[in-house]
Amino acid sequence: MTAPDDLERAVEATLFAAEQPLSEQEISTHLQGADVAASLSALKCTYAHRGVHLVERGGRWHFQTAPDLAHLLRREKEEPKRLSRAATEALAIIAYHEPVSRAEIEAIRGVQTAKGTLDVLLEAGWVCIAGRREVPGRPTIYATTPGFLTHFGLQSRRDLPGIEELRAAGLLDPVDEAFAVLTGGDDEDTDAIDPPDEESADRTD
Amino acid sequence: MTAPDDLERAVEATLFAAEQPLSEQEISTHLQGADVAASLSALKCTYAHRGVHLVERGGRWHFQTAPDLAHLLRREKEEPKRLSRAATEALAIIAYHEPVSRAEIEAIRGVQTAKGTLDVLLEAGWVCIAGRREVPGRPTIYATTPGFLTHFGLQSRRDLPGIEELRAAGLLDPVDEAFAVLTGGDDEDTDAIDPPDEESADRTD
Amino acid sequence: MDDLAEPALLDDEAEWGGIASAQTGDAALYLELDGWEGPLDLLLELARRQKVDLRTISILDLVSQYLDYIEQAKALKLELAADYLVMAAWLAYLKSLLLLPRDPEVQPSPEELALKLQLRLQRLGAMREAGARLMARDRVGREVFLRGQPEGLRVDRKALWKCDVLALFQAYGAIKHRTRPVVHMVRERAVMTLDAALTRVSQMLGVAMDWTDLRAFLPLDGDPAMRKSALASSFVAALELAKQGKAEIAQDQAFGPLMLRACASTGAGRAA
């Protein structure tokens, strides 16, 4: 670039260091009353093709990042995070039963589903809102996305193993103590007349 | 001027927008891992004659106003607080000798260093604690920071004014070492009648 | 000796400028007493006034000046910190050694002591000059300025959710497992229904003539769960029969055996 004159350099530095946009008058005052109009035009021209532009907004001048590069100022950093158990279950229910409403998910899970749980699935791009069910209250219904199939390496939803297959794979009979405790309430009425030592055996059927 | 390429514009915008100096690595990370070395050189060259310069300080890059325009830009209100004489000397000793312990600073200055003196330097972000010296008492040792290089406009510690001459003249060596060199002998038994304050700052090196 | 350098004069972090622009008159020098950062600092200032290179300075002259200075300060009744006096005593000793005929027995030689002092002054002088040069550089916020209103670079953290297909199937399996037992348990447990118990107890009651323990009405075989169920059903059946006036129930004590017999002919049932 051609060497700018001293006034242009001074205007450039003044605007660079300014903490807020400056009017032509303010710049001039800062520089012993010099006429800075020509310098401003020259600078605007000089910077027009650069990564930084000199712009005038409401009579005040400032440097800003070129609009086409604005996206550079924000960078996304991805942090791997494990999907929570609740979210995984909700996702499984949506996949097997879609489209389903939140109430239906809760009915199947037997547990309330926090709002954030579905948000996580929407954010992950595995689930989308598939409209509303035409019943009273018109609840939102959810379905899986093509991204879901891609991520989980499924050709289509028909690839989801059926209940019998899950059982055969041993996935339906997890001996899960945590769940036994959580759902212990269900068989309370049978436990009542059980001798205490039989209680634990009761849970496994 | 010739139109800069897209990468150069991106580096320019990134550095303009950054709130603190960025290393080449940081810029690259911000720009999807692009190799930005050439762009940095080109930009440095482009801006060399302008009112704003691109400078490298301790491996980190930032834009700043050209030093020759200081008289136009100096802002009365924000004049940084003057460093006390003690703090200035301590800073110089840390910069030219780093890492050094407080006792070593005191040995050179001939007086004890008030607690607040080092605190001022730590607070300014010019000095940091660089560990402990593995000698009896394990004294804390101090070194300068990247912020020190930025503030004083030093590309690296090699740019410290006169450091090569001082080193060549042996003025960065401890007195005892220099003395041994000059007298060609060991001076172990001279300590008994050393000048008084030298002993107060017990040498740890 | 640590306390000799105790900072009696250090509490004021004297401004550098006060010294750098020090007046040259001797009177001013004495008044600046509080400005010295210890004896070495004073010595260096005295040396600087000689306007010669520290490497060639006459330590003897310097020592004399220091001692004069201390004497005059005393005459002016200025309070001197202990370390100035200690230094004065040491320098007086050094001076005497330097002036007396050389005694080869004295080790180290006074010249060596003088050299050491000179080396110390050189080092302090070098650092003082380095500090001044450092402060005179183009400093950020004084001579050069950073961008006044940087837009800032933002890093948005985005969660990259991780879940594999097995975890998905396991989750569905877990739900199915969790919701299955409700149906399952009722169907699979061996039970005696109330109707069955009623039939069984009334039939057996017709045969037994005397008080009979309720447990005698239970099937002899069957698993423990079946026996429990039969016991409960038979008890309810017994109550029902008593209500209908077809049986009598008696129990001697709490938790004792529950005795049962058929009512002969009276229409009214009685529970004891």
Side-chain angles (χ1 to χ4, degrees):
Chain A
M1 75 175 76
T2 52
D5 66 26
D6 278 352
L7 184 56
E8 189 179 323
R9 292 178 72 240
V11 173
E12 186 179 25
T14 301
L15 281 167
F16 172 84
E19 273 153 9
Q20 53 209 13
L22 298 177
S23 68
E24 195 179 313
Q25 181 58 50
E26 285 166 329
I27 303 167
S28 171
T29 306
H30 203 85
L31 302 174
Q32 284 87 45
D35 182 355
V36 296
S39 299
L40 284 170
S41 302
L43 279 172
K44 187 176 172 177
C45 218
T46 300
Y47 277 95
H49 304 290
R50 302 211 59 90
V52 171
H53 290 174
L54 180 60
V55 294
E56 184 197 352
R57 298 273 182 269
R60 290 172 181 278
W61 295 78
H62 72 276
F63 280 111
Q64 68 174 31
T65 315
D68 65 308
L69 298 173
H71 66 279
L72 293 176
L73 306 188
R74 293 182 56 166
R75 186 167 62 86
E76 280 195 347
K77 192 179 174 191
E78 294 192 318
E79 289 179 340
K81 254 187 181 172
R82 216 181 156 68
L83 206 60
S84 71
R85 180 166 201 150
T88 309
E89 287 190 8
L91 179 63
I93 291 167
I94 296 170
Y96 273 90
H97 298 264
E98 75 176 40
V100 285
S101 68
R102 179 161 155 186
E104 287 158 355
I105 295 170
E106 290 179 348
I108 296 169
R109 279 191 74 211
V111 195
Q112 280 216 331
T113 301
K115 166 125 179 33
T117 306
L118 289 173
D119 289 345
V120 163
L121 298 177
L122 290 164
E123 185 197 308
W126 293 336
V127 156
C128 62
I129 290 171
R132 290 178 179 277
R133 187 157 334 279
E134 290 306 331
V135 295
R138 303 189 68 242
T140 306
I141 48 176
Y142 300 90
T144 54
T145 63
F148 164 79
L149 294 176
T150 309
H151 181 92
F152 289 93
L154 300 167
Q155 208 75 29
S156 76
R157 279 187 58 247
R158 282 192 300 277
D159 283 357
L160 290 172
I163 295 301
E164 283 316 312
E165 282 174 86
L166 290 178
R167 195 196 308 283
L171 290 173
L172 274 192
D173 304 297
V175 180
D176 193 325
E177 292 302 321
F179 273 70
V181 171
L182 278 175
T183 57
D186 286 354
D187 19 71
E188 245 170 50
D189 47 351
T190 58
D191 286 346
I193 50 166
D194 271 348
D197 52 304
E198 269 180 55
E199 224 169 15
S200 55
D202 218 15
R203 297 285 169 88
T204 52
D205 59 3
Chain B
M1 69 175 122
T2 53
D5 66 25
D6 280 352
L7 183 57
E8 190 178 322
R9 291 180 73 238
V11 173
E12 185 180 24
T14 303
L15 281 167
F16 245 81
E19 277 153 345
Q20 50 211 6
L22 299 178
S23 69
E24 193 180 315
Q25 179 59 50
E26 285 167 327
I27 302 167
S28 172
T29 305
H30 207 84
L31 301 174
Q32 282 83 45
D35 181 355
V36 297
S39 300
L40 285 168
S41 301
L43 280 171
K44 185 177 171 178
C45 223
T46 301
Y47 277 93
H49 304 291
R50 303 210 59 89
V52 172
H53 290 174
L54 178 60
V55 294
E56 184 194 357
R57 304 284 183 246
R60 304 186 308 163
W61 296 79
H62 71 271
F63 280 109
Q64 64 180 29
T65 57
D68 66 300
L69 299 170
H71 62 287
L72 293 172
L73 300 173
R74 188 167 284 145
R75 279 171 279 189
E76 313 76 19
K77 54 182 168 101
E78 279 186 65
E79 176 84 11
K81 227 182 107 185
R82 263 190 108 122
L83 215 53
S84 74
R85 175 176 174 175
T88 305
E89 283 182 18
L91 179 62
I93 292 168
I94 294 169
Y96 284 76
H97 292 80
E98 78 176 38
V100 283
S101 68
R102 184 157 160 175
E104 288 158 355
I105 296 170
E106 292 177 346
I108 294 171
R109 297 192 61 227
V111 281
Q112 287 209 336
T113 303
K115 165 114 179 47
T117 305
L118 287 174
D119 289 348
V120 164
L121 300 177
L122 288 163
E123 241 166 70
W126 294 336
V127 157
C128 63
I129 290 172
R132 293 177 177 279
R133 200 177 296 295
E134 290 304 333
V135 295
R138 303 188 71 239
T140 305
I141 48 177
Y142 299 88
T144 54
T145 62
F148 164 79
L149 297 176
T150 301
H151 181 88
F152 289 97
L154 300 163
Q155 197 153 339
S156 74
R157 276 189 62 243
R158 282 191 299 276
D159 282 355
L160 284 168
I163 190 165
E164 276 319 314
E165 293 86 328
L166 291 174
R167 184 170 291 137
L171 285 170
L172 297 183
D173 300 327
V175 167
D176 290 345
E177 227 169 83
F179 182 83
V181 168
L182 285 172
T183 58
D186 72 322
D187 58 330
E188 261 165 43
D189 50 351
T190 63
D191 286 345
I193 44 171
D194 262 351
D197 355 319
E198 190 165 18
E199 250 173 88
S200 67
D202 40 354
R203 305 305 301 268
T204 51
D205 57 357
Chain C
M1 279 249 250
D2 267 4
D3 51 344
L4 289 179
E6 209 36 61
L9 302 181
L10 299 187
D11 44 356
D12 65 320
E13 291 273 32
E15 286 258 314
W16 174 274
I19 304 300
S21 61
Q23 304 90 321
T24 43
D26 271 1
L29 184 60
Y30 294 114
L31 293 177
E32 296 256 353
L33 190 66
D34 282 353
W36 309 127
E37 294 236 357
L40 200 61
D41 185 24
L42 173 53
L43 273 167
L44 185 61
E45 178 61 20
L46 292 170
R48 228 168 58 91
R49 277 154 203 272
Q50 294 190 13
K51 294 196 165 63
V52 291
D53 194 312
L54 277 176
R55 282 171 296 186
T56 61
I57 200 160
S58 158
I59 289 294
L60 192 56
D61 286 354
L62 195 58
V63 167
S64 300
Q65 283 184 40
Y66 183 92
L67 295 175
D68 284 353
Y69 175 82
I70 296 298
E71 280 312 308
Q72 290 193 41
K74 277 184 185 162
L76 289 170
K77 293 195 168 29
L78 293 175
E79 208 171 309
L80 282 170
D83 48 349
Y84 286 82
L85 299 175
V86 171
M87 177 65 99
W90 187 84
L91 290 176
Y93 167 70
L94 176 61
K95 185 179 173 183
S96 69
L97 286 182
L98 287 167
L99 292 175
L100 288 170
R102 175 86 188 260
D103 178 356
E105 294 300 305
V106 175
Q107 282 294 334
S109 69
E111 286 75 19
E112 285 174 343
L113 291 176
L115 175 59
K116 255 195 171 179
L117 181 59
Q118 194 180 349
L119 290 174
R120 294 190 65 195
L121 288 173
Q122 279 181 32
R123 272 150 190 73
L124 179 58
M127 282 303 104
R128 182 157 299 174
E129 196 196 326
R133 289 174 72 180
L134 212 46
M135 292 302 140
R137 287 186 64 83
D138 290 332
R139 290 163 59 188
V140 170
R142 265 175 30 129
E143 284 81 21
V144 298
F145 297 88
L146 304 180
R147 186 153 181 225
Q149 41 167 4
E151 288 95 338
L153 299 171
R154 277 193 26 212
V155 176
D156 295 337
R157 289 177 199 287
K158 188 183 175 216
L160 185 64
W161 292 105
K162 270 175 44 185
C163 182
D164 56 41
V165 75
L166 185 64
L168 189 72
F169 298 154
Q170 273 170 340
Y172 196 66
I175 298 162
K176 285 290 160 189
H177 169 73
R178 205 159 72 213
T179 48
R180 186 177 51 163
V182 182
V183 186
H184 187 71
M185 283 188 288
V186 177
R187 192 174 61 227
E188 281 198 358
R189 181 168 288 181
V191 292
M192 179 181 279
T193 62
L194 182 55
D195 281 344
L198 259 178
T199 312
R200 183 181 170 88
V201 172
S202 14
Q203 279 175 356
M204 291 179 76
L205 209 54
V207 178
M209 297 309 294
D210 206 351
W211 290 102
T212 311
D213 190 329
L214 178 67
R215 282 174 293 192
F217 295 86
L218 305 183
L220 291 173
D221 54 350
D223 60 291
M226 176 61 182
R227 284 181 64 82
K228 251 182 286 178
S229 168
L231 179 65
S233 303
S234 300
F235 173 64
V236 176
L239 290 177
E240 179 61 25
L241 289 172
K243 188 176 154 200
Q244 292 172 8
K246 294 178 183 165
E248 278 183 294
I249 305 174
Q251 187 176 34
D252 289 342
Q253 64 190 63
F255 303 112
L258 205 60
M259 305 306 284
L260 204 64
R261 76 170 179 193
C263 274
S265 54
T266 55
R270 183 170 62 87

